Amino acid sequence: FVEEGQSLRFEDGDSAYLNRTPASAGNRTTWTFSCWVKRGNLSTDQDLLSYYASGLNETIRITSNNTILRYCVDTSGTVNRVLVQTNAVIRDPSAWYHIVITEDTTEATNTDRVKIYVNGVQQTINATVWPALNWQSYINSTVPHSLGGTQGYLDGYLANVAFIDGQALTPTSFGEYRNTLWKPKSDTDIQALTFGTNGFYLAFEDSSAIGDDTSGNAN
């Protein structure tokens, strides 16, 4: 897999994560998150991209049931704003999975507002709550964002992590079939994308500067 670059190892026992607080909000209705993940421990809640503060919980998570979950609960702790997850599970610790989640709450049809892809294939979703029309996520706002969790810590590897501010892209922006296998596109191809204000690309190529954004945004 790492023919195009390197990965970053997360050990859940170390409570390790990366974090950033954007200086200004980006597009809070439309964005794309893409990453390649190789799992270590299974069957625990493990956050990929998340925000937790003052009772407002919002996350993209691999659940203890090994599904992929997009979730947001408001400050009362009782009202779900988004609760969408895959029917399929990802539980092979020897495999790399490419996960892409797009959100576009400007879509008129609620089932088009969140899409989840694994290895280039759009997943069947079990949705308890779709986001409301034009709902604004706290992801891409001026709150602390974390990669790898602050409550459910990731155990495994991340590679080729990208966030696109303002566009709902398809997996072909980040991956492609080569010799019938789904593989990451080159860093050059991904860096040519339009990332938007808070967009970033983490290729983990420099072990002395793990969180360097090579999208050109310096995020």
Side-chain angles (χ1 to χ4, degrees), residues 136-175:
Q136 294 191 48
S137 168
Y138 283 87
I139 290 177
N140 212 13
S141 68
T142 56
V143 298
H145 291 60
S146 299
L147 284 173
T150 53
Q151 292 195 2
Y153 292 101
L154 178 64
D155 192 89
Y157 299 82
L158 283 181
N160 300 77
V161 180
F163 183 80
I164 306 296
D165 178 354
Q167 299 176 80
L169 301 181
T170 64
T172 55
S173 294
F174 312 98

Side-chain angles (χ1 to χ4, degrees), residues 99-164:
I99 297 172
V100 175
I101 294 189
T102 66
E103 187 157 292
D104 184 357
T105 64
T106 69
E107 290 282 357
T109 304
N110 62 355
T111 54
D112 290 333
R113 293 175 195 156
V114 178
K115 296 177 182 178
I116 302 175
Y117 304 85
V118 177
N119 294 342
V121 179
Q122 185 172 349
Q123 299 297 295
T124 301
I125 286 177
N126 174 16
T128 303
V129 181
W130 293 100
L133 182 65
N134 296 321
W135 178 72
Q136 294 191 48
S137 168
Y138 283 87
I139 290 177
N140 212 13
S141 68
T142 56
V143 298
H145 291 60
S146 299
L147 284 173
T150 53
Q151 292 195 2
Y153 292 101
L154 178 64
D155 192 89
Y157 299 82
L158 283 181
N160 300 77
V161 180
F163 183 80
I164 306 296

Side-chain angles (χ1 to χ4, degrees), residues 70-85:
R70 167 76 178 105
Y71 171 74
C72 179
V73 63
D74 75 359
T75 51
S76 71
T78 58
V79 181
N80 290 320
R81 302 304 182 189
V82 186
L83 184 54
V84 174
Q85 64 183 316

